[in-house]
Amino acid sequence: MGVSKSLNQRVRKISNDRCEYCKMHQSLQGATFHVEHVIPVSLDGKSVVANLVLACPSCNLYKSNRIKAIDPQSQECVALFHPRHDDWGKHFKFVNFTIVGKTKCARATIDLLNLNHPRKLKVREAEALFDLFPP
C-alpha cells in the first residue's frame, strides 16, 4: 500500500532524514530510505503518521512484517521498538559506534534488525567524519 506524498514528506521531516531504528543518516547512502509501516498493513496497520517511520533498506528488510521478536538475553518474545511510541534514548545507547540495548525490546530489535552489522558500524564511523554521528 502506497503512502501519499504529503505523509511521506511529514515522516521524512519528523525523522530528520535518519532511519528511526539504526539512526543512519540518508545523506551518505546510495539507496533511498523507505517510509514504512511499524504495524504492517497485513496486520491492519494504518497509513497514518503514528504508524509510519523512515527506515533504511536494511532495517526495513530485516523487520519485514514483524512486530515481535525474541530478546536474546531473556529468550522472551517481546514487542519490537516502535519509533512513534517509544523513546529511542530510553531503550538504546551508543557505545562508540555500537548500539547497546537497555531493555528487552531494544535487545530484540537490535538482534532482529541486525543493527550492529559490521557495515553499519563502518557507516557510523564514516558519519562521524561528516559530523553526522552521533545523531
Side-chain angles (χ1 to χ4, degrees):
M1 178 177 197
V3 175
S4 73
K5 184 177 180 180
S6 64
L7 270 177
N8 190 304
Q9 290 171 336
R10 284 178 63 195
V11 170
R12 288 177 185 280
K13 184 175 181 178
I14 291 167
S15 73
N16 292 316
D17 290 324
R18 287 190 180 276
C19 174
E20 296 186 68
Y21 296 105
C22 72
K23 296 299 185 184
M24 185 183 307
H25 199 277
Q26 168 74 67
S27 66
L28 298 179
Q29 303 309 306
T32 302
F33 286 12
H34 310 141
V35 172
E36 73 106 12
H37 293 81
V38 179
I39 299 171
V41 174
S42 63
L43 297 176
D44 294 325
K46 306 297 179 215
S47 293
V48 296
V49 171
N51 189 45
L52 296 170
V53 297
L54 192 64
C56 69
S58 174
C59 286
N60 193 27
L61 290 171
Y62 278 116
K63 181 182 171 296
S64 186
N65 67 341
R66 296 175 186 91
I67 58 171
K68 293 182 178 182
I70 302 295
D71 167 23
Q73 185 174 316
S74 70
Q75 295 302 306
E76 290 178 52
C77 185
V78 297
L80 291 172
F81 173 73
H82 190 307
R84 289 290 166 268
H85 298 162
D86 302 327
D87 180 324
W88 198 92
K90 287 183 181 177
H91 289 274
F92 305 94
K93 67 180 180 179
F94 283 106
V95 174
N96 297 316
F97 299 112
T98 300
I99 297 175
V100 175
K102 300 177 184 179
T103 63
K104 293 175 185 180
C105 162
R107 291 189 301 263
T109 302
I110 290 167
D111 191 55
L112 181 71
L113 275 56
N114 203 6
L115 297 185
N116 291 314
H117 184 279
R119 181 184 173 281
K120 288 202 181 256
L121 299 177
K122 289 287 186 193
V123 168
R124 291 180 196 128
E125 198 173 333
E127 285 183 348
L129 298 173
F130 292 90
D131 293 323
L132 294 170
F133 184 88

